């Protein structure tokens, strides 16, 4: 296999850094920082600065992004830890196997190590593919120069597909140089066997012995992973800390999408250690994390080969081809806004799904589930069923008050009031693509909703209402004042129905996009007929206004 390495950025022009002493390079980095925005950091009061847990991964790049550097970056990001990278080799790899490997020159690995360690001071270093003894030596030297809180060694030798990533010559430098510095080493059965000169490992008892023998090489903890034990057995990993054994036992998840589990487990352990966890709780959390990611990803399809990647963010299926979700919020959706009411449905002996179906058939352009009395579990089940109906018709479904329900059923968003979850918190929890509506009665509240990242505001009660107790009536003037001040689209609410919807729309207040209605639709014998009638009034108002 050929070797190729392109140096992309090199500032300042200097003799190869590998020729410089570490303290000389530090000075250079420092000078550079002074010139480029170092003052900005200096100007930030120390009490405002937030130190972020940081893992440096020293590993190989996987072009298929299931394992290696890419897996480490994803796992650390998913676990809320910053991850910097020193690349030791670039592999051409996919779900079938490894097609090529280019090992980077030791000098350049050293240069990357220096760049990161001298400036960014990671808490934990995690190693993956270390393809040459020279690279192991350089790494050990640098770790002595720039000590970190913990070293996590994943002794990568063979890929999931069975391709060799580090030859047997690496074993002695692992045993003699790297392992003595490690807080934890995480071999699978094949790697543990290789470290022990080919000792056969076929049972749980063998794993216990292997952990103990590997501990003699000097790591503080050894985690022998039993994923390769016969599939009839539970998946068991054994942790040995020099005194005690701990077994981590989980049921096996049947999936081909396991490529990168080793790298992701080791970097998740590193992430937890960087946050300050003990080794045992780091392993526990990391294992739980990988398990849920594998469970979530068991049927995802990426690539044609037998070793697919998994999704540590648990997000990919949400946007999968074929799942029909609402695209970005369209203010014209506020035209006829149907808000359900559990008491009214009970009174008319109607299921929430029938109510929603009828409202959509009648012309509702957005639906909000406002189920004040429902038990959480019932609410979630109804929300899932309503979401299916709404998705079939391309109508967004929002949840009143309950951000947890919206998250659990993946609704299109939430509507929150002034005493509910603040919109800026809901935005962080729901992410940038969900719809957030906020109830506003004043220009100041409308301004705040905009700053908080809301998509629209609901303004009312425009007219007196029995649906919401003690709700002040703003009148058409109050509505107009808020509409004039709002930077967001507005939907009017409160006491609105067929008889007065026209008066509301006739106001022609800026930003006013429609009306939100509860009792005029749902406290009636036929939701379908009432929605159709209201839709007609709104369409006629629009025509008249134009
Ligand atoms: C569209 C729309 N506007 C206003 C409200 C009222 O929300 P809130 O003030 O939180 O009161 P409750 O509905 O929770 O009683 C709304 N639900 N929808
Ligand atoms: C939830 C809400 N927020 C302000 S008024 C109101 C109640 C609207 O119900 P109705 O349409 O039956 O007057
Ligand atoms: Mg509310």
């Amino acid at each position: 296999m050929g070797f190729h390495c392109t140096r992309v950025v090199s500032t300042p022009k200097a003799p190869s850094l590998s020729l410089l002493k570490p303290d000389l390079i530090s000075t250079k980095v420092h000078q550079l920082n002074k010139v480029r925005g170092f003052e900005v950091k200096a100007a930030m009061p120390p009490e405002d600065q937030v130190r972020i847990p940081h893992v440096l991964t020293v590993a190989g790049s996987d072009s298929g992004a299931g394992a290696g550097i890419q897996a480490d970056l994803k796992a650390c990001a998913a676990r809320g830890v910053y991850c910097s990278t020193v690349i030791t080799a670039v592999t051409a790899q996919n779900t079938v196997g490894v097609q090529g490997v280019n090992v980077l020159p030791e000098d350049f690995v050293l240069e990357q190590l220096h760049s990161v360690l001298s400036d960014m001071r990671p808490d934990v270093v995690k190693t993956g593919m270390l393809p040459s003894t020279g690279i192991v030596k350089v790494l050990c030297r640098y770790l002595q120069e720039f000590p970190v809180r913990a070293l996590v060694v994943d002794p990568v030798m063979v890929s999931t597909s069975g391709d060799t990533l580090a030859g047997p010559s690496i074993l002695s430098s692992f045993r003699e140089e790297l392992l003595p510095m490690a807080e934890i080493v995480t071999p699978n059965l094949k790697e543990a066997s290789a470290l022990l000169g080919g000792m056969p490992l076929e049972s749980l008892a063998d794993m216990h012995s292997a952990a103990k023998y590997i501990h003699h090489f000097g790591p503080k903890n050894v985690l022998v992973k039993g994923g390769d034990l016969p599939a009839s057995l539970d998946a068991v990993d054994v942790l040995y800390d020099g005194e005690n054994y701990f077994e981590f036992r989980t049921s096996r998840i049947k999936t081909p999408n396991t490529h990168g589990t080793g790298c992701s487990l080791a970097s998740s352990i590193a992430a937890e250690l960087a946050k300050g966890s003990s080794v045992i709780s780091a392993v526990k959390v990391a294992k739980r994390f990988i398990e849920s990611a594998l469970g979530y990803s068991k049927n995802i399809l990426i690539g044609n080969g037998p070793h697919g990647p998994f999704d540590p963010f648990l997000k990919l299926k949400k946007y999968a081809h074929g799942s029909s979700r609402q695209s970005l919020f369209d203010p014209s959706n506020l035209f006829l806004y149907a808000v359900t009411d559990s008491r009214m449905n009970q009174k008319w002996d109607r299921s929430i799904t029938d109510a929603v179906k009828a409202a959509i058939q009648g012309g509702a352009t957005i639906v909000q589930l406002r189920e004040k009395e429902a038990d959480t579990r019932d609410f979630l089940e109804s929300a899932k069923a309503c979401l299916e109906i709404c998705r079939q018709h391309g109508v967004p479904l929002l949840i009143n008050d309950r951000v947890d329900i919206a998250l659990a059923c993946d609704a299109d968003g939430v509507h929150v009031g002034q005493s509910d979850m603040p919109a800026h918190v809901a935005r962080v929890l729901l992410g940038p693509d969900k719809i957030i509506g906020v109830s506003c009665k004043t220009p100041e509240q409308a301004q705040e909703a905009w700053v908080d990242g809301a998509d629209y505001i609901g303004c009312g009660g425009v007219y007196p209402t029995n649906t919401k107790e003690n709700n002040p009536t703003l009148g058409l003037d109050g509505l107009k004042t808020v509409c004039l001040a709002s930077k967001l689209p507005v939907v009017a609410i409160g006491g609105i129905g067929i008889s007065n919807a026209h008066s509301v729309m006739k106001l022609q207040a800026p930003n006013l996009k429609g009306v939100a209605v509860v009792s005029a639709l749902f406290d009636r014998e036929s939701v379908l007929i009432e929605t159709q009638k209201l839709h007609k009034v709104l369409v006629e108002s629009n025509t008249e206004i134009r």
Side-chain angles (χ1 to χ4, degrees), residues 441-455:
K441 292 189 187 326
T442 66
E444 293 73 25
Q445 290 173 353
Q447 170 67 13
E448 194 182 20
W450 178 70
V451 171
D452 278 2
D455 293 292

Side-chain angles (χ1 to χ4, degrees), residues 98-157:
V98 180
Q99 290 82 42
V101 178
N102 269 340
V103 175
L104 268 80
E106 280 152 35
D107 265 12
F108 198 68
V109 173
L110 180 148
E111 198 165 338
Q112 296 175 71
L113 278 170
H114 193 90
S115 293
V116 177
L117 288 170
S118 65
D119 171 41
M120 302 173 80
R121 300 299 161 108
D123 301 288
V124 175
V125 169
K126 175 256 162 188
T127 66
M129 178 181 178
L130 300 174
S132 73
T133 49
I135 289 178
V136 177
K137 280 185 200 310
V138 160
L139 173 63
C140 292
R141 213 182 83 213
Y142 256 84
L143 286 175
Q144 271 151 4
E145 198 82 50
F146 297 99
V148 291
R149 197 140 33 88
L151 170 67
V152 176
V153 176
D154 184 21
V156 171
M157 285 169 217

Side-chain angles (χ1 to χ4, degrees), residues 334 337 339 368 370 372 400-401 415-420 438-441 456-460 467-468 471 491-493 516 518:
L334 298 176
Y337 190 144
V339 183
Q368 180 190 135
R370 185 172 176 273
K372 294 284 185 186
N400 178 277
D401 296 349
H415 186 94
V416 288
Q418 292 296 323
S419 52
D420 299 322
V438 180
S439 307
C440 299
K441 292 189 187 326
Y456 75 87
I457 63 171
C459 182
T467 306
K468 185 169 171 62
N471 190 55
V491 62
I493 188 166
V518 187

Side-chain angles (χ1 to χ4, degrees), residues 64-382:
I69 287 282
Q70 290 82 353
D72 297 340
L73 282 168
K74 284 188 275 183
C76 285
R79 294 301 311 139
V81 166
Y82 187 78
C83 182
S84 53
T85 58
V86 165
I87 301 182
T88 57
V90 180
T91 70
Q93 199 173 160
N94 56 21
T95 62
V96 178
V98 180
Q99 290 82 42
V101 178
N102 269 340
V103 175
L104 268 80
E106 280 152 35
D107 265 12
F108 198 68
V109 173
L110 180 148
E111 198 165 338
Q112 296 175 71
L113 278 170
H114 193 90
S115 293
V116 177
L117 288 170
S118 65
D119 171 41
M120 302 173 80
R121 300 299 161 108
D123 301 288
V124 175
V125 169
K126 175 256 162 188
T127 66
M129 178 181 178
L130 300 174
S132 73
T133 49
I135 289 178
V136 177
K137 280 185 200 310
V138 160
L139 173 63
C140 292
R141 213 182 83 213
Y142 256 84
L143 286 175
Q144 271 151 4
E145 198 82 50
F146 297 99
V148 291
R149 197 140 33 88
L151 170 67
V152 176
V153 176
D154 184 21
V156 171
M157 285 169 217
V158 178
S159 73
T160 324
S161 53
D163 299 282
T164 301
L165 298 173
S169 59
I170 207 79
L171 288 170
S172 55
S173 45
F174 272 178
R175 287 191 286 249
E176 286 152 30
E177 295 177 70
L178 198 59
L179 293 192
M181 301 176 87
E183 183 67 31
I184 179 165
V185 57
T186 61
N188 59 28
L189 288 186
K190 280 188 201 129
E191 291 155 350
S193 167
L195 283 168
L196 296 170
M199 173 176 162
L201 300 176
E202 283 153 8
S203 65
L204 191 55
D206 292 345
M207 288 169 67
H208 279 239
S209 312
K212 194 167 202 166
Y213 291 136
I214 294 171
H215 192 264
H216 289 146
F217 297 134
K220 291 205 186 77
N221 297 274
V222 182
L223 180 71
V224 179
K225 298 174 294 187
D228 294 333
L229 282 180
S232 55
L233 303 175
D234 286 345
V236 188
D237 295 351
V238 172
L239 176 70
Y240 180 63
D241 66 2
E243 278 180 33
N244 298 302
Y245 292 97
F246 304 88
E247 284 180 10
F248 299 89
R249 195 175 283 267
T250 53
S251 62
R252 278 178 192 275
I253 296 163
K254 283 200 187 79
T255 172
N257 299 324
T258 56
H259 179 47
T261 38
C263 308
S264 307
L265 180 76
S267 45
S268 312
I269 293 172
E272 296 311 308
L273 293 176
K275 291 176 193 169
S277 295
S278 66
V279 168
I280 183 135
S281 69
V283 173
K284 209 184 269 178
V285 170
K287 278 197 60 74
R288 222 182 263 160
F289 164 65
I290 299 295
E291 225 189 301
S292 23
L294 286 176
Y296 173 88
S297 314
K298 62 184 171 203
N299 59 350
I300 68 174
L301 186 63
I302 298 175
N304 293 310
H307 307 291
F310 64 96
D311 173 18
F313 297 105
L314 317 182
K315 282 230 165 83
L316 293 175
K317 282 203 284 193
K318 263 193 193 174
Y319 310 114
H321 300 299
S323 77
S324 56
R325 60 180 287 282
Q326 271 302 122
S327 52
L328 272 183
F329 175 62
D330 175 356
S332 70
N333 288 140
L334 298 176
F335 185 60
L336 201 175
Y337 190 144
V339 183
T340 69
D341 183 296
S342 41
R343 273 171 305 172
M344 293 174 196
N345 285 336
Q346 236 168 20
K347 175 178 159 191
W348 292 94
D349 197 20
R350 208 180 268 136
S351 73
I352 180 170
T353 43
D354 284 345
V356 167
K357 251 185 233 163
I360 291 176
Q361 272 167 13
T365 52
I366 188 166
V367 172
Q368 180 190 135
L369 301 186
R370 185 172 176 273
E371 300 294 299
K372 294 284 185 186
E373 278 96 32
D375 290 342
T376 298
R377 201 169 283 209
D378 293 342
F379 192 2
L380 178 58
E381 287 315 307
S382 321

